[in-house]
Amino acid sequence: MRFMLILSLIATALGIAPVRFDGEKVFRVKPHDEKQAKVIKDLAKTHELDFWYPDAIHHVAANMTVDFRVSEKESQSLRSALDQNTMHYEILIHDLQEEIEKQFDVEEEISGRHSYAKYNNWNKIVAWTEKMVSKHPEMVSRIKIGSTVEDNPLYILKIGKDERRKAIFMDCGIHAREWISPAFCQWFVYQATKSYGKNKIMTKLLDRMNFYVLPVFNVDGYIWSWTQNRMWRKNRSRNPNSRCIGTDLNRNFDVSWNSSLNDNNPCSNIYGGSAPESEKETRAVTCFIRSHLKSIKAYITFHSYSQKLLFPYGYTTKLPPNHKDLNKVAKIGTDVVSTRYETSYIYGPTASIIDPAAGSSLDWAYDLGIKHTFAFELRDKGKFGFLLPESLIKPTCKETMLAVKFIAKYILKYTT
């Protein structure tokens, strides 16, 4: 309730009421054949469905688990249509607004303070970046790589001591509603700095390589998901000749951008923008990576949900030249994740494990020349979806940390 009170105060100041999701439901359907898959696609034309997994209607196929959100008003007619077509379905979330409020299930130790056990809004994250630099000046520096459409700063935290070393670039929060992702980037920086000199592996890594960590890629969207619409995904740029706001930043990279996979409807949740790198956020990240290409040996991006570890390609089913190497790293990475809490991950190329997608950061970084690129889809498998409770932040971060440390060790040892 405290979160809703904060939201209403912000909304009053802005003069806009935040979106509520009372009675909205999240359905899970598994079409058994193409005929049933077509039923879901047809329903998407007559109902306003927000696809959670996969993230777009054209990815829906036979034998695929499909999760989508629907309003309370439309849920009854949708159930009737599924029943008429004898399609088995499950309701994962019965009242989305209740789940949004239940997500905040960890008490604040001190009101207003940044916490690694809680989700932090943008203002807390900015203050936290300053704190990390002042606490560890010999190891952490903050680099402003650009600004967003709404003129918010894009900050990278560099952890390490020497420009000439190998580096890993990590980003979180490219999709606004995936809050567990920025939570992990904050956790990583905290654990890396805290365990330096105490943990043998982390000390070795930080002595020999640098990490560039972008805690929140899609800052404007993240702020909007806190203040106005918890289910917001895209950034907040205006689209010419459209009332619809936002571009999916993970479809905006210059890799197979103009392919048939790209959605050119500005109202779509996976709209790739008016041109590759049309968005300020994308350009800031690509410019930074290009200018540090000699040292960056791995790129890791964090998303949610579905518990997967992915590697290229997403825009084609063709396997990359070092497929066996990527597959080996991903396999061990998923094995390592499971050692802590027995959390099961699957791994493989994006196109075959999730769905084909053009313009992704993962494929762009790989084709640029970074031959070890990975995307984590963090917890869970759908019970909470994008609304993972705060009580699961630490377990999720702890198990993910093990896999990231393994990947970093591999990069240190086997790349040139």
Side-chain angles (χ1 to χ4, degrees):
M1 287 307 293
R2 188 172 183 278
F3 173 72
M4 295 314 296
L5 177 63
I6 292 167
L7 268 192
S8 61
L9 289 170
I10 295 167
T12 305
L14 292 171
I16 312 165
V19 177
R20 288 188 63 87
F21 301 90
D22 300 283
E24 296 207 1
K25 300 184 184 345
V26 177
F27 280 71
R28 169 166 285 178
V29 186
K30 190 169 184 178
H32 292 305
D33 51 35
E34 286 306 327
K35 185 183 171 187
Q36 289 194 343
K38 187 177 182 300
V39 169
I40 298 175
K41 290 177 181 180
D42 289 342
L43 284 169
K45 292 171 188 171
T46 56
H47 296 70
E48 203 170 317
L49 306 184
D50 171 19
F51 283 87
W52 283 22
Y53 185 90
D55 56 18
I57 181 61
H58 56 262
H59 298 321
V60 173
N63 298 310
M64 170 185 274
T65 298
V66 181
D67 299 347
F68 54 80
R69 171 174 69 91
V70 65
S71 69
E72 182 181 33
K73 187 179 168 186
E74 292 189 310
S75 64
Q76 196 51 56
S77 63
L78 187 127
R79 289 168 86 159
S80 300
L82 293 173
D83 288 335
Q84 281 167 19
N85 287 279
T86 61
M87 292 176 69
H88 175 74
Y89 62 87
E90 182 185 350
I91 298 178
L92 297 175
I93 295 175
H94 288 269
D95 188 319
L96 190 63
Q97 188 63 38
E98 277 186 19
E99 289 302 320
I100 287 170
E101 290 169 29
K102 284 187 340 198
Q103 187 178 17
F104 299 89
D105 62 348
V106 170
E107 288 295 316
E108 284 189 84
E109 293 169 23
I110 301 172
S111 180
R113 180 180 286 187
H114 178 280
S115 169
Y116 296 101
K118 292 186 66 62
Y119 293 116
N120 298 290
N121 64 26
W122 174 240
N123 288 339
K124 285 184 185 175
I125 293 172
V126 171
W128 165 83
T129 63
E130 292 169 0
K131 182 185 170 186
M132 295 312 290
V133 174
S134 63
K135 234 180 149 179
H136 308 280
E138 75 296 339
M139 193 183 299
V140 182
S141 54
R142 188 175 77 172
I143 308 162
K144 184 182 175 186
I145 63 166
S147 57
T148 67
V149 174
E150 296 182 344
D151 211 27
N152 287 302
L154 286 166
Y155 289 131
I156 280 177
L157 289 181
K158 177 194 166 199
I159 314 168
K161 300 171 182 177
D162 187 342
E163 272 304 329
R164 292 165 296 176
R165 294 174 178 171
K166 292 179 184 179
I168 294 177
F169 186 97
M170 294 164 44
D171 65 52
C172 291
I174 199 167
H175 291 139
R177 62 189 177 186
E178 299 170 10
W179 285 6
I180 186 60
S181 169
F184 175 72
C185 268
Q186 292 162 68
W187 179 266
F188 176 84
V189 174
Y190 166 63
Q191 285 298 322
T193 52
K194 179 188 169 191
S195 61
Y196 180 76
K198 298 169 190 168
N199 176 278
K200 191 177 173 183
I201 295 169
M202 190 53 79
T203 303
K204 183 179 177 182
L205 290 173
L206 292 175
D207 276 341
R208 299 187 187 180
M209 67 195 310
N210 294 322
F211 291 87
Y212 295 111
V213 182
L214 177 60
V216 185
F217 193 129
N218 179 8
V219 176
D220 298 344
Y222 186 70
I223 292 169
W224 196 254
S225 72
W226 272 85
T227 58
Q228 294 297 314
N229 183 341
R230 177 64 187 86
M231 290 296 109
W232 191 258
R233 170 184 166 98
K234 302 188 283 184
N235 77 347
R236 295 293 302 166
S237 63
R238 296 193 176 278
N239 295 309
N241 307 316
S242 174
R243 61 179 175 78
C244 295
I245 299 286
T247 288
D248 180 346
L249 295 172
N250 202 38
R251 298 291 189 282
N252 190 236
F253 286 78
D254 193 4
V255 58
S256 191
W257 182 87
N258 60 352
S259 72
S260 59
L261 296 170
N262 203 26
D263 198 318
N264 58 9
N265 174 13
C267 298
S268 164
N269 248 350
I270 59 162
Y271 174 57
S274 56
E277 294 187 27
S278 60
E279 305 308 296
K280 288 182 74 178
E281 298 90 340
T282 317
R283 287 199 302 276
V285 170
T286 55
C287 285
F288 181 85
I289 291 176
R290 285 188 188 108
S291 67
H292 292 76
L293 193 55
K294 280 186 180 177
S295 64
I296 295 175
K297 303 300 177 185
Y299 169 84
I300 311 174
T301 181
F302 297 87
H303 294 251
S304 71
Y305 62 96
S306 68
Q307 294 174 200
K308 294 180 172 67
L309 181 49
L310 308 168
F311 51 82
Y313 282 113
Y315 69 85
T316 176
T317 52
K318 186 181 120 185
L319 296 173
N322 64 335
H323 162 72
K324 287 182 180 175
D325 188 30
L326 293 172
N327 199 65
K328 179 176 76 174
V329 175
K331 181 194 182 304
I332 301 171
T334 56
D335 288 345
V336 168
V337 167
S338 69
T339 59
R340 188 78 192 237
Y341 304 104
E342 298 183 356
T343 307
S344 61
Y345 267 61
I346 63 172
Y347 63 93
T350 308
S352 59
I353 297 295
I354 295 192
D355 46 56
S360 76
S361 65
L362 185 74
D363 289 350
W364 173 83
Y366 184 86
D367 279 359
L368 187 68
I370 302 169
K371 294 309 175 190
H372 291 86
T373 69
F374 300 95
F376 281 83
E377 293 282 351
L378 302 174
R379 291 198 197 185
D380 65 357
K381 287 193 171 180
K383 182 183 178 184
F384 299 109
F386 302 121
L387 301 174
L388 195 72
E390 288 179 326
S391 54
L392 295 177
I393 292 174
K394 280 192 174 181
T396 303
C397 290
K398 285 177 180 178
E399 68 194 8
T400 309
M401 190 75 179
L402 296 174
V404 172
K405 280 166 76 173
F406 161 70
I407 293 170
K409 276 198 303 178
Y410 186 91
I411 297 303
L412 186 61
K413 188 171 182 180
Y414 293 108
T415 63
T416 53

